[in-house]
Amino acid sequence: MTLAMWLAIFATLYGLGMWLLLPRRIAAGRAAGAVLMTAAVAILGTRLVPPGALTTNILFYALAAVTVVSAVCAMTFRSPVYSAIFFAVSVLATAGLFLVNGAQFLGVAMVVVYAGAIVVMFLFVLMLAQPEGLAFYDRLAFEPLLCSVSSGVLVFLLTITLLTPGTLPSVAPLAEAGADGRAADGLPGVEAEAHVAAIGARLFSEHLISVQVVGVLLFVALVAAAAIASQSRRSPPPRTAEGGTA
Amino acid sequence: MNEVALLQNYLVVGGLLFAIGLVGFMTRRNTIVMFIALEMMMQGVAVSLVAWSRFHNDFSGQMLVIMIIAVAACEAAIALSLILMLARRSSNLDIAFWQLLREEGQEPTLDEEVPAAEIEHEPWPELTPAGVEPELDPEKVRYRSHV
């Protein structure tokens, strides 16, 4: 079978599985959806080229599978608490993928900022705002069939574009960089021994203005969040969907 | 190491994360789950940027990911305070509650058939009432929040 046929099978299984897994009026078929989705991920895994030595391959395949499967779980579980926890698992696996790909600093930053801060904030808001039990809007979804079909088409086009030989450049500049792995301008490259020192040298020389802009942005966001949160305290009485006061 | 295969595989993973997050954003109605889907799409972009960064032996991709993480933190703070404010006004997290804000001429989203809850009630043991009902202090009964 050709690559296109395999990928078409993958995209079909993915779309079907996504449709079965998403919240719908009829709750039946979720186990079948899980089986189809697992099969789809496995088929895609067999189409990927193993990137390197045995350890790297095992690490990559395991982490990629955990990332994708927990992402699907985060989007399809009814309870938003489970969604937040599966999102944290997906972020942790992504941090592992970053470590495999020579981005140690970013791996650690993902764990600290995403899994450590943002997910905890999600859970706080959930505890504050979520009514008890599963709400009806968690058991319904907007247009699950249309979205699954279009997502299946999207992943088919993406994977066939990326996996067809010849689309991507065939020689990596990293492979030509020489023994010391220096970048084109002489500064240490991505695979340098002192990774954080190299990243800091770049960050505070070439990208200094971006760092300052991001600092201002963080400060503005802090002020905005405080302003929005304090505004709601003196809000008018809540209104129902029909327009009357509750 | 086969650098091209590595780049290909990482781009596939990033694209899948983006597609899955897109489905979640379009279909789910809980505002917090929608926001998680948004973060997942950004994560897919970050995976792709890191892969290109290694392929080109250039730190610019990783710098962009650092900026993405900072912007995501800002966005989380603002979005969650907005969600909290909306939740206080509507007392739920349903995005369809705010469909009065839709454009003129748009059909409203109606949901008549809500599926039954899937929560099974745990069978608690029932005790037969016995003994004399205790005397309660009327002052305490009045100010007790719940029994």
Side-chain angles (χ1 to χ4, degrees):
Chain A
M1 281 214 281
T2 59
L3 179 71
M5 285 163 76
W6 277 111
L7 292 180
I9 294 174
F10 153 71
T12 316
L13 289 181
Y14 166 88
L16 260 178
M18 189 60 100
W19 178 62
L20 288 171
L21 280 171
L22 278 172
R24 282 169 304 130
R25 295 222 159 78
I26 313 118
R30 285 167 68 189
V35 170
L36 288 183
M37 191 55 91
T38 320
V41 173
I43 287 177
L44 183 65
T46 60
R47 292 302 101 197
L48 296 180
V49 183
L54 186 64
T55 335
T56 321
N57 290 347
I58 292 172
L59 273 176
F60 169 76
Y61 281 121
L63 289 169
V66 171
T67 307
V68 173
V69 169
S70 54
V72 173
C73 290
M75 292 302 102
T76 52
F77 265 63
R78 265 67 163 172
S79 165
V81 178
Y82 283 150
S83 288
I85 289 170
F86 273 111
F87 176 66
V89 173
S90 175
V91 166
L92 290 178
T94 313
L97 281 177
F98 283 1
L99 289 182
V100 173
N101 214 0
Q104 290 95 326
F105 178 76
L106 284 178
V108 175
M110 286 289 274
V111 172
V112 171
V113 177
Y114 268 100
I118 294 185
V119 172
V120 173
M121 214 145 74
F122 282 144
L123 289 176
F124 264 117
V125 173
L126 272 177
M127 298 303 157
L128 281 172
Q130 177 79 355
E132 210 165 309
L134 275 187
F136 72 92
Y137 48 84
D138 281 327
R139 286 180 270 120
L140 282 177
F142 290 125
E143 304 290 353
L145 184 62
L146 276 180
C147 280
S148 309
V149 170
S150 54
S151 173
V153 173
L154 176 65
V155 291
F156 175 70
L157 293 177
L158 272 176
T159 46
I160 200 162
T161 314
L162 289 171
L163 293 179
T164 306
T167 343
L168 295 174
S170 55
V171 184
L174 178 61
E176 298 173 331
D180 58 349
R182 290 199 171 264
D185 53 4
L187 284 171
V190 173
E191 289 287 274
E193 200 68 23
H195 175 78
V196 180
I199 220 171
R202 291 280 174 151
L203 192 58
F204 294 111
S205 58
E206 273 177 51
H207 301 275
L208 186 59
I209 294 179
S210 323
V211 170
Q212 301 207 342
V213 169
V214 164
V216 173
L217 181 69
L218 277 166
F219 181 67
V220 171
L222 175 71
V223 174
I228 293 169
S230 64
Q231 196 182 25
S232 61
R233 203 170 298 138
R234 45 189 156 79
S235 60
R239 298 169 75 87
T240 58
E242 288 79 37
T245 41
Chain B
M1 195 173 296
N2 186 350
E3 295 292 338
V4 180
L6 198 66
L7 173 69
Q8 237 172 24
N9 295 354
Y10 270 78
L11 291 182
V12 166
V13 172
L16 267 184
L17 274 180
F18 189 89
I20 292 168
L22 192 63
V23 174
F25 189 79
M26 303 293 268
T27 56
R28 296 306 299 267
R29 292 176 54 168
N30 191 316
T31 37
I32 293 185
V33 179
M34 285 174 79
F35 191 63
I36 290 177
L38 208 68
E39 297 284 331
M40 194 156 280
M41 292 202 277
M42 301 227 284
Q43 203 182 314
V45 175
V47 169
S48 308
L49 280 173
V50 166
W52 281 112
S53 167
R54 182 202 166 96
F55 185 79
H56 285 298
N57 194 21
D58 186 342
F59 270 116
S60 300
Q62 298 195 14
M63 295 300 145
L64 268 174
V65 177
I66 292 177
M67 305 301 162
I68 286 181
I69 290 177
V71 171
C74 297
E75 192 200 317
I78 294 181
L80 287 178
S81 57
L82 276 173
I83 287 173
L84 207 55
M85 199 180 79
L86 293 180
R88 273 191 204 156
R89 295 200 178 191
S90 67
S91 74
N92 64 27
L93 291 170
D94 189 7
I95 197 73
F97 184 89
W98 301 99
Q99 61 175 320
L100 288 175
L101 297 175
R102 70 184 180 275
E103 204 172 320
E104 198 179 353
Q106 284 285 319
E107 291 292 313
T109 307
L110 298 172
D111 34 40
E112 313 89 19
E113 314 158 54
V114 175
E118 296 159 29
I119 309 158
E120 299 104 35
H121 290 286
E122 281 197 31
W124 293 100
E126 284 190 26
L127 301 176
T128 42
V132 189
E133 196 175 341
E135 288 270 332
L136 291 175
D137 187 2
E139 192 92 344
K140 277 185 183 167
V141 171
R142 193 172 163 200
Y143 292 112
R144 205 152 44 169
S145 60
H146 64 282
V147 180

